């Protein structure tokens, strides 16, 4: 088979996976992991369930495929953040703290539905329905981001950009602040049809900067 013949096959596979993931996001966001079946995802994607199993081993595998890109993009942003810190990019605590706002905001903008799925995962209501292997796979990648954030904070303290604090607890606080603001503002937007997420998120991190 020539290389010309294989290109359409590769493209078709990528397109098919994207179609399945797009449909899965809609169903997972609306129904959650536990209440979603592969039959429902197949119906949403207008495909047979057997076709979905050609690309994803099971519901766990599909769910992870929606979360990991968001976690990995967050990791890429945090890595660049760490490089900029070492290059003395940030001149004061406000500039440093607002970089977290930028990192989190751009991660959210990359894939809002993927972020919502990750939020639902962190609530833990369906963890018992997932295999241990799946949980370990997700937690391993997430822990890398957690440790990067902790090292960022520790380094900023050593550089006297921010005051001495517990970097472990502060890491939790920054992430919880981000997740909480996103959940609240998305909930309000569904009722009022007004989007104040970005301005509220920035304001929240400006307040944190004052505390640091």
């Amino acid at each position: 088979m020539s290389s010309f013949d294989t290109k359409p096959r590769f493209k078709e596979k990528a397109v098919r996976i994207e179609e399945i993931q797009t449909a899965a996001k809609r169903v997972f966001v609306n129904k959650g992991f536990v209440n979603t079946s592969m039959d429902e995802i197949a119906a949403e994607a207008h495909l047979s369930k057997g076709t979905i199993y050609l690309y994803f081993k099971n519901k766990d595998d599909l769910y992870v495929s929606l979360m990991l890109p968001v976690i990995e993009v967050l990791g890429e942003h945090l890595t660049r953040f760490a490089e900029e810190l070492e290059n003395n990019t940030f001149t004061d605590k406000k500039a440093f703290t607002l970089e977290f706002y930028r990192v989190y905001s751009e991660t959210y903008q990359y894939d809002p539905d993927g972020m919502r799925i990750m939020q639902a995962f962190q609530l833990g209501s369906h963890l018992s329905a997932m295999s241990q292997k799946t949980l370990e796979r997700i937690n391993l990648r997430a822990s890398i981001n957690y440790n990067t954030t902790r090292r960022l904070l520790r380094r900023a303290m050593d550089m006297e950009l921010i005051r001495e604090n517990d970097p472990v607890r502060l890491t939790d606080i920054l992430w919880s602040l981000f997740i909480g603001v996103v959940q609240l503002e998305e909930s309000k937007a569904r009722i009022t049809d007004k989007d104040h997420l970005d301005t509220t998120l920035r304001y929240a991190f400006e307040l944190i900067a004052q505390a640091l």
Side-chain angles (χ1 to χ4, degrees):
M1 182 179 293
S2 69
S3 59
F4 177 81
D5 292 329
T6 62
K7 288 182 180 179
R9 289 175 178 268
F10 177 79
K11 183 178 180 180
E12 174 63 23
K13 179 179 179 181
V15 170
R16 184 70 76 200
I17 289 174
E18 183 177 357
E19 290 174 348
I20 294 169
Q21 290 176 321
T22 298
K25 283 180 186 177
R26 289 195 292 265
V27 182
F28 279 132
V29 168
N30 289 331
K31 302 193 68 173
F33 178 83
V34 174
N35 295 322
T36 293
S37 69
M38 292 293 266
D39 288 302
E40 290 169 313
I41 293 171
E44 183 71 21
H46 304 293
L47 298 169
S48 70
K49 186 166 65 172
T51 299
I52 293 181
Y53 282 123
L54 292 175
Y55 302 97
F56 300 97
K57 293 184 293 184
N58 49 42
K59 187 169 73 169
D60 281 23
D61 189 37
L62 178 50
Y63 194 87
V64 169
S65 79
L66 303 179
M67 283 183 57
L68 282 184
V70 178
I71 298 173
E72 289 168 355
V73 165
L74 175 58
E76 292 169 3
H77 287 315
L78 289 171
T79 298
R80 282 196 293 270
F81 187 178
E83 292 170 353
E84 291 169 357
L85 180 61
E86 291 301 323
N87 292 329
N88 296 312
T89 302
F90 309 104
T91 56
D92 54 40
K93 64 181 182 180
K94 182 176 181 180
F96 171 76
T97 308
L98 284 181
E99 187 65 9
F100 278 106
Y101 148 76
R102 185 195 66 78
V103 164
Y104 292 147
S105 179
E106 289 185 3
T107 302
Y108 172 84
Q109 292 168 16
Y110 166 75
D111 187 356
D113 282 339
M115 180 64 71
R116 294 179 191 112
I117 288 171
M118 187 164 68
Q119 289 172 330
F121 171 80
Q122 291 187 313
L123 290 175
S125 59
H126 54 260
L127 297 186
S128 61
M130 286 187 169
S131 70
Q132 187 62 33
K133 184 177 180 181
T134 298
L135 294 175
E136 289 174 356
R137 184 180 174 191
I138 294 171
N139 289 332
L140 176 62
R141 189 59 188 84
S143 69
I144 295 173
N145 292 346
Y146 175 86
N147 290 328
T148 302
T149 303
R150 186 184 63 183
R151 288 194 298 270
L152 267 167
L153 293 169
R154 179 69 266 167
R155 181 61 176 144
M157 293 173 201
D158 293 341
M159 296 170 70
E160 298 184 348
L161 273 175
I162 60 175
R163 293 188 302 176
E164 188 69 28
N165 284 283
D166 182 344
V168 174
R169 292 181 179 179
L170 188 52
T171 296
D172 288 343
I173 289 170
L174 292 175
W175 182 252
S176 299
L177 176 66
F178 166 60
I179 292 295
V181 169
V182 168
Q183 289 179 337
L184 176 62
E185 291 302 324
E186 284 190 339
S187 176
K188 289 168 60 178
R190 286 192 290 270
I191 298 172
T192 65
D193 202 30
K194 295 179 180 179
D195 184 2
H196 298 296
L197 174 57
D198 189 69
T199 55
T200 304
L201 191 61
R202 182 183 177 91
Y203 183 63
F205 278 87
E206 287 175 345
L207 292 177
I208 289 290
Q210 294 177 28
L212 295 176

